[in-house]
Amino acid sequence: MHLVINSIIERLNVNLETEVLLRVLWISDDKKNVVVVNINDHRKMTLPFFLDYEDMIEELEAGMSRIIELEVDMQLLSPDDDYLDKYKANRNRRWELIKDIVKKEPEIYLPEKRGKLITEAHLTSNKPKKVIRNYLKKYWYYGKTINGLLDNYFDCGVSSKRRNYRRKPGRVSDNRYLVTESDKINFISAIKLFHKRQGMNIKTTHERMCETYYKRGFYRKYGVRVPIVNPDQAPTLRQFRYWYTQNSTLFSRYSNRHGKRRASIDVRPMQGNSSERASCVGAVFEIDATRSDVLLVSFDRKTILGKPTLYIVIDVFSRLVVGYHVSLASESWLEAMIAMEHAATSKVENCKKFGIDITEEEWPCHALPKYLVGDRGELKAQYTERFVNLEVDVLNAPSYRGDLKPFVESRFHITNETIRQLLPGSTEAQPKVRGDHDPARDAVLTIEEFNRFLIVFFMTYNKSAVSEEFKPTKEMFVEKVELTPLKIWSWGKGKRLLHEKTRSEIRYNLLPRAQGKVTRFGIEFKDLYYTCDIGLKEGWFEGEGRINGQKYIEISYDPRNCSSIFLKHKKGLIQCSLTGQSKEYEGLHFEEIAKITEYKNEEIKQQEKNEKQHKAELHAYTQQLNKTAIKETKEVINDKSFYSRQQNKRQRRHEDSRTWGAQNAWSNPEANLSPVEAEKSRIIPFPNDEAEETSLIDMHSKDVQALFSAKNRDRRRKHNDE
């Protein structure tokens, strides 16, 4: 262990705490003596002194001292060119005073000889000895560096201490007011009350503060009390503005005026890189939704439907569009999940649905990422656990922070710009001016045709050059990778964090879940019943219905179609279809089912109300019918016993049956008449002439004869019975 010039020695006390810092200035040739200077405080510079070299080495070896590295004052010792040009003349002038005496070592370090050398410099330059001595202290303190003689304006004042002013600092002016601690409390209250809450600017805030805290009374004018402001006994606008600037950052001032959301976008420090997490293909996917700038029409092309909702999923590293989804519904978890399913499944099958045949190499992405960045709207915390099952971590961006997912946002901008240039019926999201052409008149595309356009558009984009902001890696440079999203994806696909899941696993985890009930009729869900072959085979629906002893089970469903639901059973996912009881609803949207159910419930309630009135009619008619029947029956059986009424039931039943049958026979002319016509047919018309009168008399006589014959038969039957 040895010492060298400018070594920094830290001496420790018995508690191993720093006691003093020493800088080595000179070492004798025989290594017996060493000259050091105390560098604890730059405001109290001292003169150097001698120490024994061997004693210092022993202290170092014993651990009572140690050699350390001390950060130098780079601002002073290595200043920038402007500062050096401004103060270099003063430095050189000071150096000329001491340059001849500082080189006389070790004489300059000996007190008795140092005085003579300083006196010589004093006589030569006519500068005070104290000034020359101070220049020497600075030169030694900063390690015998000529720049140590520069004017040090970097550390003026004591930053950790507040000065207690007795009079107003600054330039002389008419304002003599001195800001106190109580004034600062008023400043804080005024900023909070008037600037932040009420949105006033600093000038108006200062005026309201003076009116509130620095008034000396009131007078009445216009029917209101007006405060009397004393400007000489209140802080000035300049003092108030200075305090506000010194005690706040630009971010806080902007936030106070425009809100934290605007401040986080406009003035926050841009230290990071949006793609820093995306170290490779498949590391980060971004997903977001927007309204496309095109107006669509219905399938029959008669109705203008408006703008569709477009979801885009993009890989941050390669900038490849890995999935999309377009819908006429609003933004929701389901729509976002359909876009994610599109990103994680084969594009060959998806494009074939729209009549577009592609190869795997043209759109080769069918995997899930490590991280997914989206909005808090769709990817809420209650749903993020679904992605854990798929080994995907969700990174929700704060509200109104589109800058945290810039790549999908920029893709929306480019997509909508292209749509406005190529498709009829396109429109920008801006208010229309009276007299402008209405783009809705040009709307001609259906959602299916718009899907076909998007497939071709995204495939074209994936083959285009990346933006100028893209930073290729060293590996890309070495392997000469073509800088298009498709080529970057294909180059990095086999090396990175992508992982695949089956379509069933993706659907089960991403589709909405609900509770179904197991019954004899099948699995009941939303008033529909579902069944499957394995359920029939294992007897799920026998008796009261149970699946593994459970009456209520969790199912997954696609709200867009009620034809089937998904049930997790053992290690797989089972698709259950509608039973015959619910087959008529096959192919309908669950919202349509809800409307039908709502219609049914409302109609039943309404008919139940009507039924009460119908029942009232029934009850009234029955009551009158019973009353009439009871009256007529009592008149007939007044002289007959209950026993006699039960005699000859079989014969009488047979006769009444023939009479009733003859009356209602199809061959009876009166049987086919309406009640009114039948009643008219039984009415006897008044005779108009003699022929009609004779005819009616004959008919009447026949009826009388028949009546007497019937009575004779009754008498004979009664005589026989007795």
Side-chain angles (χ1 to χ4, degrees):
M1 185 176 293
H2 62 280
L3 300 176
V4 294
I5 302 300
N6 274 334
S7 292
I8 306 299
I9 308 299
E10 182 185 25
R11 278 189 166 179
L12 308 174
N13 57 20
V14 292
N15 296 323
L16 299 180
E17 297 173 347
T18 302
E19 190 175 56
V20 67
L21 292 177
L22 303 175
R23 182 190 292 277
V24 175
L25 298 178
W26 178 81
I27 301 173
S28 63
D29 294 336
D30 55 4
K31 292 190 177 181
K32 289 185 178 181
N33 298 310
V34 60
V35 177
V36 296
V37 65
N38 190 328
I39 58 172
N40 274 1
D41 188 358
H42 73 282
R43 296 183 180 276
K44 297 180 180 179
M45 298 179 183
T46 61
L47 293 170
F49 54 91
F50 281 82
L51 289 176
D52 186 87
Y53 186 89
E54 294 297 333
D55 291 344
M56 294 189 68
I57 294 299
E58 290 179 3
E59 287 183 9
L60 291 170
E61 292 177 348
M64 296 305 296
S65 297
R66 58 188 177 186
I67 300 175
I68 64 172
E69 290 186 3
L70 184 68
E71 285 195 24
V72 297
D73 190 346
M74 297 295 294
Q75 290 181 334
L76 182 67
L77 300 183
S78 301
D80 56 38
D81 294 339
D82 293 338
Y83 190 86
L84 188 60
D85 292 341
K86 187 174 182 179
Y87 300 107
K88 182 169 61 175
N90 291 340
R91 181 202 66 178
N92 294 339
R93 179 176 50 80
R94 293 161 187 162
W95 174 244
E96 289 296 327
L97 289 176
I98 66 172
K99 70 176 183 178
D100 294 331
I101 61 177
V102 295
K103 295 178 181 179
K104 297 179 180 181
E105 297 175 328
E107 291 81 2
I108 192 65
Y109 302 123
L110 299 172
E112 61 276 8
K113 294 185 179 181
R114 181 168 56 238
K116 293 179 180 180
L117 294 173
I118 293 175
T119 301
E120 292 177 3
H122 161 67
L123 295 174
T124 304
S125 62
N126 291 326
K127 291 291 183 181
K129 294 181 181 179
K130 183 179 180 180
V131 173
I132 297 173
R133 189 177 291 107
N134 289 338
Y135 291 162
L136 289 172
K137 289 179 182 179
K138 288 187 66 177
Y139 178 72
W140 289 325
Y141 180 89
Y142 287 109
K144 299 195 293 185
T145 303
I146 186 174
N147 280 348
L149 300 174
L150 283 168
D151 297 294
N152 190 355
Y153 296 116
F154 299 105
D155 197 18
C156 295
V158 182
S159 59
S160 61
K161 295 181 181 179
R162 290 279 184 180
R163 291 186 182 182
N164 294 323
Y165 296 100
R166 296 184 179 179
R167 62 178 183 178
K168 179 182 173 296
R171 64 182 179 84
V172 178
S173 65
D174 295 336
N175 177 30
R176 301 296 181 184
Y177 191 85
L178 182 64
V179 177
T180 63
E181 291 299 323
S182 61
D183 293 320
K184 295 176 182 178
I185 295 175
N186 293 338
F187 291 170
I188 295 173
S189 299
I191 290 294
K192 184 177 180 180
L193 180 61
F194 303 117
H195 185 53
K196 292 178 65 176
R197 290 185 181 176
Q198 301 185 27
M200 299 179 182
N201 58 27
I202 293 299
K203 183 178 180 181
T204 308
T205 300
H206 174 260
E207 294 171 354
R208 293 299 305 275
M209 179 188 70
C210 294
E211 295 168 5
T212 305
Y213 302 112
Y214 299 95
K215 58 182 180 291
R216 61 183 182 184
F218 297 91
Y219 66 90
R220 185 166 292 277
K221 191 172 183 179
Y222 307 121
V224 297
R225 291 202 316 167
V226 181
I228 302 173
V229 181
N230 188 0
D232 296 331
Q233 298 299 321
T236 64
L237 174 61
R238 182 174 179 178
Q239 289 174 320
F240 179 64
R241 195 189 299 275
Y242 175 80
W243 171 88
Y244 183 49
T245 304
Q246 292 297 314
N247 291 273
S248 61
T249 62
L250 175 62
F251 181 87
S252 63
R253 293 194 295 272
Y254 197 91
S255 177
N256 290 341
R257 187 168 184 179
H258 302 287
K260 288 186 177 180
R261 179 178 64 84
R262 284 276 303 277
S264 63
I265 296 175
D266 296 342
V267 299
R268 69 180 177 86
M270 304 290 286
Q271 298 293 314
N273 181 9
S274 302
S275 60
E276 58 186 349
R277 285 195 185 95
S279 57
C280 56
V281 166
V284 179
F285 282 3
E286 289 180 356
I287 182 173
D288 202 3
T290 190
R291 289 299 177 97
S292 296
D293 289 345
V294 63
L295 299 170
L296 302 182
V297 297
S298 59
F299 288 111
D300 60 6
R301 303 187 187 275
K302 295 180 181 179
T303 306
I304 300 173
L305 303 179
K307 295 182 178 182
T309 302
L310 174 62
Y311 275 89
I312 294 180
V313 186
I314 192 169
D315 174 60
V316 174
F317 182 82
S318 65
R319 311 293 197 268
L320 184 83
V321 174
V322 295
Y324 83 96
H325 172 59
V326 63
S327 170
L328 295 173
S330 301
E331 296 87 342
S332 65
W333 162 269
L334 174 66
E335 305 300 330
M337 294 311 98
I338 296 172
M340 282 303 301
E341 186 207 23
H342 184 264
T345 54
S346 173
K347 304 300 180 294
V348 177
E349 299 178 11
N350 291 317
C351 293
K352 196 171 184 179
K353 296 178 183 178
F354 299 99
I356 299 177
D357 295 326
I358 66 171
T359 61
E360 180 70 22
E361 292 74 18
E362 290 181 283
W363 206 346
C365 45
H366 48 78
L368 291 167
K370 177 63 177 175
Y371 298 102
L372 177 64
V373 179
D375 281 335
R376 294 174 60 83
E378 292 88 347
L379 305 183
K380 292 180 181 178
Q382 59 181 334
Y383 293 129
T384 54
E385 287 297 324
R386 307 280 186 88
F387 283 99
V388 173
N389 302 334
L390 299 176
E391 302 176 25
V392 177
D393 293 333
V394 176
L395 306 175
N396 273 322
S399 302
Y400 306 103
R401 290 301 303 275
D403 55 310
L404 296 182
K405 46 184 191 310
F407 304 106
V408 70
E409 294 286 350
S410 63
R411 175 53 26 214
F412 283 140
H413 174 73
I414 297 173
T415 302
N416 279 331
E417 184 177 359
T418 305
I419 286 173
R420 290 193 296 269
Q421 294 176 2
L422 299 182
L423 298 182
S426 59
T427 176
E428 290 190 66
Q430 61 183 13
K432 292 187 296 185
V433 180
R434 184 176 181 181
D436 286 352
H437 176 70
D438 190 352
R441 296 178 179 275
D442 302 327
V444 295
L445 295 176
T446 65
I447 189 171
E448 183 177 358
E449 292 166 339
F450 185 52
N451 260 288
R452 296 192 192 119
F453 165 79
L454 289 175
I455 291 173
V456 178
F457 170 73
F458 287 134
M459 290 177 60
T460 303
Y461 158 76
N462 289 339
K463 299 175 184 177
S464 305
V466 296
S467 63
E468 294 183 358
E469 291 79 12
F470 182 81
K471 305 296 183 185
T473 64
K474 182 180 178 181
E475 295 176 345
M476 294 181 188
F477 170 73
V478 172
E479 300 184 28
K480 302 300 180 184
V481 178
E482 295 181 18
L483 295 184
T484 65
L486 182 60
K487 292 299 182 181
I488 296 172
W489 173 278
S490 301
W491 167 79
K493 179 181 177 182
K495 309 174 183 178
R496 309 301 178 177
L497 300 178
L498 293 170
H499 58 281
E500 296 184 1
K501 297 290 182 181
T502 63
R503 189 184 295 268
S504 296
E505 191 172 2
I506 293 172
R507 287 181 173 178
Y508 177 76
N509 285 284
L510 299 186
L511 286 176
R513 297 180 187 176
Q515 192 178 65
K517 181 181 179 181
V518 185
T519 68
R520 292 178 60 191
F521 305 100
I523 300 174
E524 182 183 355
F525 176 64
K526 292 184 180 294
D527 292 334
L528 301 177
Y529 293 93
Y530 297 87
T531 185
C532 58
D533 293 338
I534 190 172
L536 295 173
K537 185 182 297 183
E538 295 186 4
W540 292 353
F541 313 119
E542 297 174 359
E544 295 182 356
R546 288 288 190 277
I547 298 179
N548 298 327
Q550 295 182 351
K551 184 74 172 177
Y552 295 93
I553 58 172
E554 185 181 61
I555 58 97
S556 296
Y557 68 99
D558 190 335
R560 299 169 299 170
N561 195 313
C562 71
S563 299
S564 62
I565 59 173
F566 300 95
L567 170 67
K568 186 171 69 173
H569 180 63
K570 297 180 179 179
K571 296 182 179 181
L573 191 67
I574 300 173
Q575 186 170 3
C576 302
S577 56
L578 288 170
T579 64
Q581 183 176 350
S582 305
K583 203 71 172 178
E584 60 184 293
Y585 298 117
E586 189 170 17
L588 297 182
H589 196 289
F590 270 106
E591 289 184 1
E592 295 178 293
I593 300 298
K595 292 293 183 182
I596 294 174
T597 303
E598 181 182 359
Y599 157 77
K600 180 189 73 173
N601 295 335
E602 290 179 356
E603 279 297 313
I604 289 176
K605 288 181 181 179
Q606 183 61 39
Q607 296 309 319
E608 285 177 348
K609 294 179 182 178
N610 297 338
E611 183 181 354
K612 294 183 185 227
Q613 185 60 40
H614 300 327
K615 290 286 183 69
E617 295 175 359
L618 172 65
H619 296 160
Y621 179 78
T622 304
Q623 186 176 3
Q624 181 62 33
L625 182 67
N626 294 340
K627 184 177 179 181
T628 302
I630 291 172
K631 180 181 178 182
E632 293 180 356
T633 303
K634 283 184 177 180
E635 292 177 354
V636 173
I637 65 172
N638 188 26
D639 57 348
K640 293 183 68 67
S641 65
F642 178 72
Y643 176 78
S644 64
R645 292 182 62 197
Q646 298 187 71
Q647 301 299 315
N648 302 319
K649 287 190 296 184
R650 182 176 299 176
Q651 182 180 354
R652 191 61 183 174
R653 182 184 180 94
H654 183 67
E655 292 175 356
D656 285 358
S657 175
R658 286 184 299 174
T659 303
W660 179 253
Q663 291 178 1
N664 292 278
W666 293 345
S667 57
N668 184 4
E670 295 185 0
N672 297 322
L673 298 177
S674 64
V676 176
E677 294 173 339
E679 185 66 23
K680 289 181 178 180
S681 66
R682 288 192 289 270
I683 296 175
I684 301 175
F686 190 79
N688 294 328
D689 50 28
E690 295 181 358
E692 289 183 359
E693 184 177 359
T694 304
S695 174
L696 290 173
I697 292 173
D698 293 339
M699 291 175 60
H700 180 66
S701 61
K702 292 180 180 179
D703 290 339
V704 171
Q705 186 178 0
L707 178 62
F708 278 107
S709 299
K711 286 185 176 181
N712 289 330
R713 285 196 299 273
D714 289 339
R715 279 197 297 270
R716 286 196 297 272
R717 186 169 58 252
K718 289 180 181 179
H719 178 73
N720 294 332
D721 292 339
E722 292 175 358

